[in-house]
Each structure stands twice: as C-alpha cells, then as structure tokens.
C-alpha cells in the first residue's frame, strides 16, 4: 500500500486509528466483511449481490459524471471500478474513521482480504474518505477538480451504512452538491469573461509596475501590520442605516470602500482612504463619474477595464492580480491565475496576488489582510435582499433609476423588477429572522465563512459586522445588533520592537503614507512594454488574417504565449466534452469558426489602446 499512500497521502492519517469495535469477519459465503460490535456492516449472506444491486444504478453514467458512494460498510462496493469509464471519477465516503483504518491495516497483510479496495485505490480518479476528520481533504479535492471535466454527480447509498448516521450523509450530500455547483458557476464565469480578463490584463501591463514601486501591491505587504482597525464598506442596503455610525467613528479606521459604495460614502462626507475595483467591464466608470478622487488611492485588479487607468485621476493606483489556491489529493497545491498574469509578469515583474470569492468585497477582504490588518469591520455586507433591495441608497444604480422614473414607473417598481429576475431563496438574517437571498449571494457568504474558519488557527483575523440587517455570516461578531451606538472594540496594539512596522496611525496618517509614496513614482519601461504588446498583437493579427490550417498555427501561438489559449478555451472544452458526438471535420469546423470570431474581437478592442496609450 505504500505506493497508494504516495499518491493519496490523505489516507496516511488512518494509520493507528483502528477500534476494537471494528474487526474483520466473514459472510455466510466466506467473503471477508467488517463486523461492528459483532454485527456485520453489510449483508451477512451475499455482500457481492448487495453491492452489484447498488452499483447497477451507476450503469449508463457518462465519463464526465462523478460517481459518489455514500457508505463503505460493504467492501464489495469498491468493485465500482468495473463500471467506470477511463478517466471517470469515483468517491467513496464513510462516517467511520475506524472503518477506514481497518481496511488499511487489513490490506497491509499478506493475505490481502480486501483486494477490491486495493484495486480501487490504485485506480486514477478513485478516492476514499473516512470520518468527519477527512471532510476538509474531501472538500479540497472537489474544489481542485477541473470543472470542465465533469457534467454532473450521481449518489449511490449503501443503506446499512447511511442508516447508522443519516445526518452525516445528508449534510455531506448538500455540501458536495454546493461545492460542485460553485465550481460549475466558476467555470461558466470563466467561459464568459476569460477573453475579456486576458485582453484587459495584457493592456493594463502598460500601467503596472515592479514590486519595489508603490503601484505594485507587493510594495504594501504588511505595511500597516500592528496598526489600528480597518473598515471594509460594501454597498448592501444596510449601509444606509450604518452611515451615521461611520461618520461618528471614521477617524478610528483605515477605510476601504468597494467601488459600488464610494458614492454613498462621499455623499455623507466620508472620504475613504482607498477604493477597490475588481470588475472588468467599462460600467465600473459609473461608480467614479463626477467625483473628486485626488486624495484617494484606487486598488485595482489588473483585469479592470483599461480605460479606467487612462481617464481616472486618483492620488495613485495600486495593482494586483487574482489567484486561487487549489489543493490536490496528492498533497500538492496549484495556483490558478487569471489569464494574462504570467505574460504580464514577464514584462513587469511579480504582482501581488489576492484570493477572491467572486465579488469585490471578497477580494477587498483579502487585500486588507495583505496590508497587515487583523481587525476588520464590515459595513453594508448584507449578502441578501434586505427589504427586497440589493444596494444602498446613493449608488449609481439609483442615479440611473431616478432618470427612468415617470408617472407610470416608480422607483419601487423598477427595484421590484430587478428582484423578480433573481431566483430568491430564504436565508437567516443577523437578527434570527428569515429574509430573501439567492444562489450567487450565498456563494459569497460561504466564501467569507470558509475563509474566516480557515484563518482561525493559522492567521487569526477578528471580523466584526456593523450591519443590523442582511444575512447572518458565521464567524463574524455582530457589534451593533443590541446597541446601535456601540463603540468600536479596543484594538490590541503590537508592542514596539515585536514588529518593526508596528505603528499607531490615525486616519490622516494612513492617507499621508499612501499619497506620499507616489512622490517619486517613475515609469521608464512603458515603451518596452508597449513594443512587447505590439508584437503579441501582430502575431494574433497574422493568425487572424491567414486562412487554412489555422488550428495548427494557433497551437504554435499558444505554445509561445500560453495565456492566449484563454481566447479559445471555451471551444476546446466544448469539443472535449462532446468528443464522442463530434466527427473530426465537425470538430475542426467548430474550432476554426470560433477562433476567427474571438481573434477578431480581441484585435478590434486591443487596437484602440496599444498604440494610443501615453
């Protein structure tokens, strides 16, 4: 079994976890089976027949469907490998840690009483998880699966095992479905936006800078460690009620606003120290339109629309990229980066990377941690349709809607039409009542909860929710729920000498530190970056202009510039998922047609920026 432990190290913790309540016995037909407190954990007459009946439901599964077997009391269920297609994924889960230990210990014997288990674990894509202690490993495995390789999930239940812990398996099924739905949502998002992220990231390399310059997030890592608290402001409906509290206590925080929350803060006379941008579309400009930004710093993901760094004039720009850390079953990790990041870093050097759950606020939370804050307050983080609204008053959405109001169309009607376009689901509010949420907002909430839980031991962050409305977020303390006028919690300062960057800043100090860093900012390398981008543009244009065998020539271009494959990845995944149905001629036709379309769109957009950016 040593070779199995090498490829699936999460099984090693089963060693030495056996229990006297679980031993190996025999069924009436002589088949080895586990006995739990003297009673068989599966059929005592014909466990093979029982397993065959259960596995019969797996017949007809597609290669891209995941098979999950709930309950491993019958060792014959590991014979599922006989029904799997090459490359298909199968996961067996059981609530008993000691059962997994028994299987592992017995498999190490010379008699090999459970050969099906050994064959199963040696099969690529087949995994087994035992006990509640293995759930983190299971979740990491599911989150690390390439979503383009699966189209669904099928659960089979070993009834004798499931009946011993029904709540465990019911909760497990819900969690697994939620993770895979999240992965599919992430895949669809990437399909929709990867070409846009790629083009924006490449074009924004003309505004990026090296890690020793203030325009690079690396320059600011832990710069504010040991200082006072940070306040992250989102634009949820509860922000309207929270703004008076922020006005009263604003000098006690480093204030970072999500882009949607900027206008409501400025209308209330609150000037944040920074604003965070994540969205890649040009509509982001609406959050800043008509506002004076000279004393603000814009923290922007490199996927932001390239027109923003050209037209907006804040006190400074600090760029970063998004990366998602994936945990592999073999214990390794992989960083999933935004397309274009690797190419940009070849031109500009390493960029600071942030984890993101998909929303501006999730990235902004990781940004504050990157800056060194360990006490973070949240305002307007509703993650629900509080009072059947999605945004606080004063956002650009209301500015736009106000222009649509007429005698026949009220503001309330406009808002209600927006609500009715979403599939609402009930969620628990901060005060214990029920309010409306939706699937996307629940994904964001789950990201916060999982992040806070993961940070609890390795890098504790105190998270304090100021909102008196919105969804309840596990791991956050609700400060103002009982007392709307509650004062900020005292911050435990780091003693001088423990951290050389430790210092007590007030609101003005934060602003001065940020703005003064830009006094000597220079950018001598823009011409070299522009020439490199022009070379990429010319090669893409050459591929677009020449007809015939473009698929082979595209592969050559992808090898030279791997990030450019994002332009055609959606089509490649479609062909891979439907390879049984597509002939070679049809596959080539689909590829050529979509390649021509995506190259044309890329060139039309990029041509407006590469040669005209100063």
């Amino acid at each position: 079994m040593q070779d199995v432990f090498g490829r699936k190290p999460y099984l090693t913790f089963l060693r030495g976890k056996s229990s006297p309540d679980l031993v190996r016995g025999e069924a009436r037909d002589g088949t080895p089976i586990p006995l739990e407190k003297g009673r068989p954990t599966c059929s005592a007459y014909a466990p093979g027949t029982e397993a065959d009946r259960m596995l019969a439901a797996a017949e007809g599964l597609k290669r891209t469907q995941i098979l999950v077997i709930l309950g491993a009391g019958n060792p014959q269920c590991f014979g599922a490998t006989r029904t799997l297609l090459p490359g298909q994924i199968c996961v067996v889960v059981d609530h008993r840690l000691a059962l997994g230990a028994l299987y592992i210990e017995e498999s190490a014997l010379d008699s090999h009483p459970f050969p099906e288990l050994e064959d199963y674990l040696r099969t690529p894509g087949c995994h087994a998880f035992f006990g509640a202690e293995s759930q983190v490993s299971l979740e990491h495995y599911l989150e690390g699966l390439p979503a383009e390789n699966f189209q669904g999930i099928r659960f089979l239940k070993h009834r004798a095992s499931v009946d011993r812990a029904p709540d465990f398996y019911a909760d497990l099924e819900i969690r697994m479905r939620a993770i895979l739905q999240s992965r599919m949502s992430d895949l669809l998002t990437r399909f929709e936006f990867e070409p846009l992220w790629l083009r924006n990231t490449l074009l924004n390399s003309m505004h990026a800078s090296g890690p020793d310059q203030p325009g690079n997030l690396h320059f600011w890592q832990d710069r504010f460690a040991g200082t006072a608290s940070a306040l992250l402001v989102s634009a949820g409906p509860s922000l309207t009620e929270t703004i008076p509290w922020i006005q009263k206590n604003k000098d006690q925080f480093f204030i970072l606003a999500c882009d949607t929350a900027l206008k409501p803060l400025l209308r209330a006379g609150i000037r944040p120290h920074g604003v965070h941008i994540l969205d890649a579309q040009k509509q982001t400009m609406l959050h800043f339109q008509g506002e004076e930004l000279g004393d603000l710093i814009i923290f922007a993901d490199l996927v932001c629309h390239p027109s923003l760094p050209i037209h907006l004039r804040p006190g400074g720009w600090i760029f970063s990229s998004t990366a998602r850390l994936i945990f592999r079953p073999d214990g390794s990790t992989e960083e999933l980066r935004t397309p274009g990041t690797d190419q940009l870093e070849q031109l500009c050097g390493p960029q600071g990377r942030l984890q993101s759950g998909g929303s501006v606020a999730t990235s902004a939370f990781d940004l504050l941690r990157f800056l060194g804050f360990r006490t973070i307050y949240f305002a307007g983080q509703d993650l629900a349709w509080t009072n059947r609204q999605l945004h606080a008053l004063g956002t650009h959405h209301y500015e736009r809607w106000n222009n649509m109001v007429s005698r026949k169309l009220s503001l309330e009607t406009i808002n209600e039409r927006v609500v009715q376009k979403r599939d609402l689901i009930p969620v628990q509010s901060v005060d214990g009542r029920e309010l409306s949420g939706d699937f996307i907002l629940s994904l964001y909430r789950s990201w916060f909860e999982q992040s806070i839980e993961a940070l609890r031991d390795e890098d504790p962050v105190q998270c304090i929710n100021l909102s008196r409305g919105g969804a309840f977020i596990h791991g956050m303390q609700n400060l103002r729920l009982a007392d709307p006028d509650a004062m900020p919690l005292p911050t435990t300062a780091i003693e001088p000498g423990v951290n050389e960057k430790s210092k007590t800043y007030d609101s003005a100090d934060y602003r001065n530190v940020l703005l003064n860093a830009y006094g000597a900012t220079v950018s001598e390398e823009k011409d070299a970056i522009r020439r490199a981008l022009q070379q990429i543009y010319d090669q893409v244009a050459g591929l677009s202009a020449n007809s015939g065998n473009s698929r082979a020539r595209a592969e050559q271009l992808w090898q030279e510039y791997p990030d450019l494959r994002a332009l055609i990845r959606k089509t490649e995944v479609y062909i891979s998922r439907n390879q049984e149905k597509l002939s070679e001629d049809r596959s080539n036709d689909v590829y050529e047609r979509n390649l021509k379309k995506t190259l044309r769109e890329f060139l039309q957009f990029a041509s407006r920026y590469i040669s005209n950016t100063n």
Side-chain angles (χ1 to χ4, degrees), residues 240-370:
T240 304
E241 185 274 336
T242 312
I243 277 182
W245 189 95
I246 298 175
Q247 287 174 317
K248 185 188 305 182
N249 300 285
K250 62 184 179 181
D251 292 334
Q252 300 188 43
F253 302 104
F254 175 92
I255 303 178
L256 178 66
C258 297
D259 49 10
T260 48
L262 177 62
K263 283 181 178 287
L265 289 178
L266 296 180
R267 297 292 177 274
I270 302 168
R271 300 197 66 81
H273 300 92
V275 185
H276 187 53
I277 298 174
L278 178 66
D279 197 79
Q281 303 186 67
K282 196 172 184 177
Q283 289 89 325
T284 303
M285 183 74 74
L286 298 174
H287 302 306
F288 302 90
Q289 202 166 36
E291 304 298 343
E292 171 56 46
L293 307 174
D295 62 340
L296 307 182
I297 298 296
I298 293 182
F299 295 85
D301 194 287
L302 282 160
V303 303
C304 73
H305 198 278
S307 65
L308 270 63
I310 294 174
H311 297 296
L312 297 181
R313 293 290 180 266
W317 287 84
I318 298 176
F319 287 103
S320 62
S321 63
T322 296
R324 182 168 176 266
L325 198 61
I326 296 175
F327 296 87
R328 297 299 185 193
D330 61 1
S332 64
T333 58
E334 178 185 350
E335 202 173 46
L336 182 62
R337 306 181 190 179
T338 304
T341 302
D342 290 340
Q343 187 64 46
L344 179 144
E345 291 189 347
Q346 291 180 24
L347 300 173
C348 310
Q351 304 293 309
R353 299 191 185 106
L354 300 176
Q355 296 282 326
S356 176
S359 71
V360 183
T362 57
S363 294
F365 172 61
D366 204 45
L367 168 61
L368 290 172
R369 291 182 52 246
F370 192 95

Side-chain angles (χ1 to χ4, degrees), residues 551 568 571-572 574-576 578-595:
R551 188 170 187 176
I568 199 65
T571 300
E572 290 181 332
Y574 170 79
I575 293 173
S576 174
N578 295 278
Q579 56 185 329
E580 295 88 355
K581 297 186 294 184
L582 296 175
S583 66
E584 185 175 353
D585 289 342
R586 174 59 178 162
S587 172
N588 287 330
D589 180 63
V590 169
Y591 190 98
E592 301 273 352
R593 186 174 64 253
N594 285 284
L595 178 65

Side-chain angles (χ1 to χ4, degrees), residues 190-467:
R190 297 183 74 85
F191 279 166
E192 181 71 21
F193 292 107
E194 269 190 342
L196 184 149
W197 293 341
L198 170 69
R199 78 181 192 199
N200 288 3
T201 300
L202 290 177
L203 294 171
N204 281 330
S205 45
M206 290 182 287
H207 308 286
S209 54
D212 58 343
Q213 294 182 323
N216 186 308
L217 187 60
H218 271 303
F219 181 87
W220 299 95
Q221 185 168 10
D222 288 332
R223 184 60 62 100
F224 300 122
T227 67
S229 308
L231 171 59
L232 172 55
V233 184
S234 304
S238 66
L239 176 61
T240 304
E241 185 274 336
T242 312
I243 277 182
W245 189 95
I246 298 175
Q247 287 174 317
K248 185 188 305 182
N249 300 285
K250 62 184 179 181
D251 292 334
Q252 300 188 43
F253 302 104
F254 175 92
I255 303 178
L256 178 66
C258 297
D259 49 10
T260 48
L262 177 62
K263 283 181 178 287
L265 289 178
L266 296 180
R267 297 292 177 274
I270 302 168
R271 300 197 66 81
H273 300 92
V275 185
H276 187 53
I277 298 174
L278 178 66
D279 197 79
Q281 303 186 67
K282 196 172 184 177
Q283 289 89 325
T284 303
M285 183 74 74
L286 298 174
H287 302 306
F288 302 90
Q289 202 166 36
E291 304 298 343
E292 171 56 46
L293 307 174
D295 62 340
L296 307 182
I297 298 296
I298 293 182
F299 295 85
D301 194 287
L302 282 160
V303 303
C304 73
H305 198 278
S307 65
L308 270 63
I310 294 174
H311 297 296
L312 297 181
R313 293 290 180 266
W317 287 84
I318 298 176
F319 287 103
S320 62
S321 63
T322 296
R324 182 168 176 266
L325 198 61
I326 296 175
F327 296 87
R328 297 299 185 193
D330 61 1
S332 64
T333 58
E334 178 185 350
E335 202 173 46
L336 182 62
R337 306 181 190 179
T338 304
T341 302
D342 290 340
Q343 187 64 46
L344 179 144
E345 291 189 347
Q346 291 180 24
L347 300 173
C348 310
Q351 304 293 309
R353 299 191 185 106
L354 300 176
Q355 296 282 326
S356 176
S359 71
V360 183
T362 57
S363 294
F365 172 61
D366 204 45
L367 168 61
L368 290 172
R369 291 182 52 246
F370 192 95
L371 295 177
F373 292 101
R374 292 299 176 267
T375 300
I376 302 175
Y377 290 73
F378 293 78
Q381 194 60 36
D382 289 53
L383 298 176
W385 293 77
T386 309
N387 300 322
R388 294 185 71 82
Q389 295 177 325
L390 185 59
H391 296 291
L393 296 176
T395 65
H396 90 83
H397 308 85
Y398 281 96
E399 291 180 345
R400 179 164 52 90
W401 293 348
N402 283 331
N403 292 328
M404 299 167 58
V405 172
S406 65
R407 183 174 60 86
K408 296 182 179 180
L409 185 64
S410 67
L411 190 62
E412 291 78 8
T413 300
I414 297 171
N415 182 83
E416 187 61 25
R417 288 178 179 177
V418 174
V419 174
Q420 292 180 3
K421 290 180 180 179
R422 306 289 279 265
D423 293 326
L424 302 183
I425 57 175
V427 297
Q428 181 186 356
S429 70
V430 291
D431 58 6
R433 294 183 295 178
E434 188 178 280
L435 76 166
S436 297
D438 63 40
F439 175 69
I440 298 299
L441 295 176
S442 294
L443 289 181
Y444 299 155
R445 188 184 71 251
S446 296
W447 185 92
F448 275 114
E449 292 174 343
Q450 292 171 12
S451 298
I452 295 170
E453 176 67 26
L455 293 169
R456 183 166 297 168
D457 296 326
E458 60 186 64
D459 187 16
V461 177
Q462 187 177 21
C463 298
I464 303 165
N465 193 353
L466 298 174
S467 299

